[in-house]
Amino acid sequence: MVFVPVPRGSVSDHVFGQLRDAVVSGAYRPGDTLPGERELAAAFAVNRHAVREALRRLQQLGLVRVSQGGATLVLDWRVHAGLDLALSLVRSGDVLPVDTLVRDMLEMRACIGVDAARLCAERADAATRETVTRAAQEYAGLAPDLPRMAEANIALWRHVVRGSGNTAYLLSFNSLVAGALAVGEVPPERHAAELLDVAGHHRLAEAVAAGRGDAAAEQARSLLTAALATPVTPPGRECRA
C-alpha cells in the first residue's frame, strides 16, 4: 500500500484517514499486520507521535488491535466496528464499501423511530406528552421553510426518543443526528414530502399525548418509511453517506 505524504495541517487526521480507508477498502485484510510506526512515519513523512495517535483512533473504531509488542493487527470491521465508523466516514465524505449504506441507515432510523414512538406513548409522563405536543405545533408553524422544519423535526424526534425511556435508542439517535444520518441522502422530493406532512406529525403527537402506542408507532412508520419507497442511489454504485 502506497501512502501519500500529508500536509502540515492536521497531521494525525490525515494519517488516520488514509489508514482507515486502507482497512475498510480491503487494502489491508483482517489478520494482516500494518507496517510499524517507524515505517509508517517515513511513508507519511510525519513524526511517530502522529502515527501513534492515528493508530490509537483506529483502535477506538475497532479497526485494529495494537499488541504490547507493537504489532498492529487489522480487524474485520464487520465484526468489531460500530456506528462510529460510519460517522467518521460521513464527516470525511469517504466511502464505506457497502453499496446499501444509506438505505441501511434509513431502515435503522425507521426501526428506532417507530418503536420509540410506541414506547413514548406508553411510558411518557404528562410533561413529556405536553412537550411533544408543543414541539409538533412549533414545527407546523415553520411550514413551508424546509431548512427550519428539518431542524425542528430533529428536535421533535429528540423529545419522542427521550420520552421512550430507552437509553440505547437515545444514544443511537444522537449518533445518527451527529453524523447527518438522521435523513441520509434522501431524495429531495421524498425529504420534502416527509417534512411537509404536517398533519402526519400532528397525528403522531396526538397519539403520544393520548397514550395510544400502536397509533403512534403506525404514524411514525408512515413518516419515516417514505424515503425508503424509492432508491436513494443508482443500482451498482457505492453509496456516500
Side-chain angles (χ1 to χ4, degrees):
M1 181 73 185
V2 177
F3 296 113
V4 179
V6 299
R8 293 295 94 185
S10 183
V11 175
S12 64
D13 285 348
H14 287 278
V15 175
F16 162 75
Q18 289 190 56
L19 289 174
R20 177 202 59 206
D21 292 351
V23 171
V24 299
S25 68
Y28 286 103
R29 298 184 178 279
D32 287 350
T33 300
L34 290 183
E37 286 185 9
R38 188 184 303 276
E39 186 179 346
L40 287 172
F44 285 112
V46 300
N47 60 45
R48 293 179 66 177
H49 174 75
V51 171
R52 198 171 298 121
E53 172 64 17
L55 293 177
R56 183 189 64 81
R57 292 171 63 186
L58 291 174
Q59 184 166 244
Q60 288 179 333
L61 286 182
L63 298 181
V64 303
R65 179 181 296 121
V66 181
S67 71
Q68 288 185 342
T72 303
L73 181 70
V74 175
L75 302 177
D76 187 344
W77 63 264
R78 294 171 178 82
V79 175
H80 297 278
L83 273 180
D84 285 349
L85 173 59
L87 303 180
S88 170
L89 291 161
V90 166
R91 295 187 185 104
S92 66
D94 289 336
V95 176
L96 188 66
V98 177
D99 58 9
T100 59
L101 178 61
V102 170
R103 183 208 65 187
D104 297 346
M105 298 303 289
L106 289 171
E107 288 176 348
M108 177 182 176
R109 168 185 179 248
C111 287
I112 291 174
V114 169
D115 201 47
R118 177 183 65 80
L119 292 174
C120 184
E122 295 173 353
R123 296 175 175 174
D125 57 21
T128 299
R129 297 178 196 278
E130 182 179 346
T131 297
V132 170
T133 298
R134 185 168 58 251
Q137 293 170 344
E138 292 172 355
Y139 174 83
L142 296 174
D145 187 336
L146 290 179
R148 294 183 67 194
M149 291 181 77
E151 293 180 6
N153 188 49
I154 290 175
L156 170 60
W157 277 105
R158 186 178 299 280
H159 293 309
V160 171
V161 176
R162 290 183 65 179
S164 74
N166 188 305
T167 302
Y169 284 173
L170 180 60
L171 295 176
S172 297
F173 174 85
N174 290 341
S175 293
L176 291 169
V177 171
L181 288 170
V183 293
E185 286 190 349
V186 183
E189 67 276 10
R190 287 291 178 179
H191 190 196
E194 176 186 336
L195 291 178
L196 290 174
D197 187 359
V198 174
H201 286 82
H202 268 307
R203 288 192 293 270
L204 171 63
E206 289 170 356
V208 168
R212 294 184 288 118
D214 290 343
E218 187 57 36
Q219 189 55 52
R221 181 176 293 106
S222 176
L223 288 169
L224 297 176
T225 59
L228 291 166
T230 56
V232 292
T233 53
R237 183 179 136 195
E238 280 191 323
C239 187
R240 287 187 180 270

